[in-house]
Amino acid sequence: MSGLREVAGAVRHVDVLVVGAGPAGLAAAARLAAAGTRRVEVLDREQQAGGVPRHCAHGGFGPWLHPLTGPAYARLLTRAAVRAGAVVRTGVTALDWAGPSTLTAVGRGGPETIEARAVVLATGARERPRTARLVPGTRPAGVYTTGELQQAVHLYGQRIGSRAVVIGAEEVSYAAADTVRAAGAEVVAMVTDLPQAQVSPGRALNARLRQGIPLLTDAMVDELVGRGRLSAVRLRHHDGRTTVLRCDIAVFTGDFVPERELARRGDLVLDAGTRGPAVDGGLHTSRPGVFAVGSVLHPAESAATAAREGAHAADAVRRRLTGDAWPTGVPLTVAAPLRWIAPNRVTPADELPYVLRTTISLHRPVLQVTQDDRLLHRSRSLRTALPNRTVTLTASWTHRVDAGGGPVRVTVA
Ligand SMILES: Cc1cc2nc3c(=O)[nH]c(=O)nc-3n(C[C@H](O)[C@H](O)[C@H](O)COP(=O)(O)OP(=O)(O)OC[C@H]3O[C@@H](n4cnc5c(N)ncnc54)[C@H](O)[C@@H]3O)c2cc1C
């Protein structure tokens, strides 16, 4: 382990340690505790449990028949985990590994070391900020990611400015536009370097026609302008034209990366496509005793997908605690124009549906799964696949996988 820390004080023992109290970690903890696992502890570095939904003041969470806002959903999941018997500790950051399933952490009570029989990494994902996207220009105030914007508006009630440009045109970008409007500011434009919005036609039309938000496609931010405070963004269109939009807020949305520091410091095998820990359909990582769930595996799916994985991993964790062997699986890869798939290892016992991303728009693509030139599965997607939107693949074919064979490949036929 690259970042092994010195053990701080006495080592405390739990049965399962979950890192991250978002939908994935809370769902795993609730299911484990409800099924009778005794010492289940969840750590979160934030002061409040719930993960990203804490600051998503809009709807779109919870069961279809009983929709909830993000904060209500976060409270529901937290209560469920606590009622089931899990201990949820906030303001505690997991720092590093002190053994194969031992972590060092620091919180209000100072440093501590926790050894677990199983660890579940549920550390989520973050949007890449302006610096990581190599956007030229000055470094003025008024530049946010969606998460930063939502926290400023919904958690801290801060004033953000009056005219915003939202960069991106996927679900999270439209959520950012809603937050800007909720804060009393105007959305001057949404900008995407792709040829179309990556949301349902209804969502895109509503923003354009009812909310009057122009969508500029095939364009990217070329420069941020302003001394002290942002005063404009300069766009470059694919045909070489430039446009200057006057604004005092720029929100960089989407472009998620897994919060994978702990996985990396623990030398867990990372998947080249998702850049999160590689896992099989039982959410086993490359390290026996360590599981991973939620957005750290696939930045970033819906909260329901994250919670479903948490619950699914709980069953695998329980089997591990009763002595089941650690499966290895074979690699599961994709070929262009597909970008990544998660889970990205496969065993014949896997049942969890797969999520994928494409780099280009594909009209009702036919997905083909092969191993060593043997066709395992072929199916046509029901809808057009767009970049930054979920494409799903059933796991109905996994029993045909040869556990001793070569990598399994998913291609577009
Ligand atoms: C702006 C926005 C809007 C969204 N809107 C919707 C929507 O309408 N509907 C929907 O279904 N989904 C939505 N999503 C997606 C949804 O929020 C995610 O799928 C979900 O939160 C993922 O859950 P998670 O538990 O994997 O990660 P997260 O919710 O990101 O939780 C991870 C937690 O881990 C903690 N953590 C990380 N590292 C450490 C560490 N070292 N020590 C301790 N704690 C740590 C973090 O503090 C965080 O609380 C939205 C996402 C965003 C960003």
Side-chain angles (χ1 to χ4, degrees):
M1 278 159 281
S2 47
L4 208 67
R5 294 224 167 189
E6 259 180 47
V7 172
V11 178
R12 211 156 47 73
H13 298 272
V14 298
D15 287 307
V16 183
L17 183 64
V18 181
V19 185
L26 289 171
R31 178 111 162 195
L32 279 161
T37 306
R38 282 185 48 242
R39 295 166 304 173
V40 179
E41 186 164 311
V42 189
L43 309 180
D44 202 292
R45 62 189 174 194
E46 298 291 342
Q47 302 305 315
Q48 211 192 344
V52 167
R54 283 173 310 122
H55 53 75
C56 295
H58 51 85
F61 294 88
W64 189 67
L65 280 174
H66 184 47
L68 296 169
T69 64
Y73 181 66
R75 284 192 295 274
L76 184 85
L77 291 183
T78 308
R79 270 202 303 269
V82 172
R83 277 202 192 130
V87 174
V88 179
R89 299 175 62 210
T90 55
V92 184
T93 305
L95 296 175
D96 211 340
W97 300 84
S101 56
T102 305
L103 283 160
T104 56
V106 69
R108 285 178 282 270
E112 56 182 308
T113 305
I114 309 166
E115 182 173 33
R117 294 170 63 208
V119 173
V120 180
L121 295 180
T123 47
R126 60 169 184 269
E127 289 164 298
R128 292 205 309 152
R130 165 273 167 104
T131 40
R133 302 182 196 214
L134 302 179
V135 176
T138 54
R139 293 173 172 271
V143 181
Y144 299 90
T145 61
T146 315
E148 289 165 351
L149 175 82
Q150 291 193 330
Q151 299 204 36
V153 173
H154 297 307
L155 295 188
Y156 307 121
Q158 290 167 355
R159 290 180 58 82
I160 53 165
S162 57
R163 289 170 58 83
V165 171
V166 173
I167 298 106
E170 55 186 288
E171 282 297 343
V172 66
S173 324
Y174 285 83
D178 289 345
T179 303
V180 168
R181 287 160 47 85
E186 177 195 355
V187 182
V188 178
M190 296 180 72
V191 180
T192 173
D193 59 352
L194 294 170
Q196 67 198 104
Q198 303 106 60
V199 291
S200 69
R203 178 87 152 130
L205 268 180
N206 182 56
R208 228 179 53 220
L209 300 181
R210 292 195 48 204
Q211 300 175 337
I213 303 174
L215 173 66
L216 306 180
T217 56
D218 291 318
M220 58 195 292
V221 178
D222 205 26
E223 186 183 355
L224 296 181
V225 185
R227 280 185 180 278
R229 177 85 206 185
L230 182 72
S231 58
V233 299
R234 189 154 57 91
L235 306 181
R236 180 169 298 279
H237 302 267
H238 282 192
D239 58 11
R241 284 177 305 119
T242 57
T243 305
V244 174
L245 297 174
R246 271 195 325 101
C247 61
D248 55 1
I249 310 162
V251 192
F252 286 89
T253 69
D255 197 359
F256 288 95
V257 284
E259 196 73 74
R260 60 177 197 174
E261 275 316 298
L262 278 180
R264 203 179 57 76
R265 292 180 81 94
D267 289 340
L268 268 57
V269 172
L270 302 175
D271 179 69
T274 61
R275 294 178 283 177
V279 290
D280 66 7
L283 291 322
H284 305 88
T285 69
S286 58
R287 164 97 62 85
V290 180
F291 297 78
V293 291
S295 288
V296 70
L297 300 178
H298 41 59
E301 289 295 322
S302 72
T305 301
R308 179 183 65 192
E309 282 174 7
H312 190 78
D315 297 340
V317 172
R318 281 184 62 76
R319 288 195 295 275
R320 167 73 181 172
L321 296 182
T322 53
D324 262 21
W326 197 253
T328 46
V330 294
L332 177 60
T333 61
V334 293
L338 298 174
R339 190 166 149 216
W340 55 248
I341 184 166
N344 25 51
R345 294 189 73 80
V346 55
T347 78
D350 291 347
E351 291 174 352
L352 195 66
Y354 295 89
V355 290
L356 301 89
R357 286 287 192 284
T358 167
T359 52
I360 56 170
S361 168
L362 300 166
H363 179 65
R364 298 194 55 212
V366 174
L367 297 181
Q368 194 163 281
V369 186
T370 54
Q371 182 182 32
D372 301 329
D373 294 330
R374 197 162 52 91
L375 182 67
L376 303 182
H377 176 79
R378 190 182 158 96
S379 62
R380 181 180 283 281
S381 300
L382 292 176
R383 61 180 199 187
T384 299
L386 293 173
N388 302 324
R389 275 195 92 174
T390 310
V391 180
T392 53
L393 173 67
T394 164
S396 61
W397 47 270
T398 56
H399 64 282
R400 300 200 185 99
V401 169
D402 174 2
V408 174
R409 268 167 75 83
V410 181
T411 51
V412 178

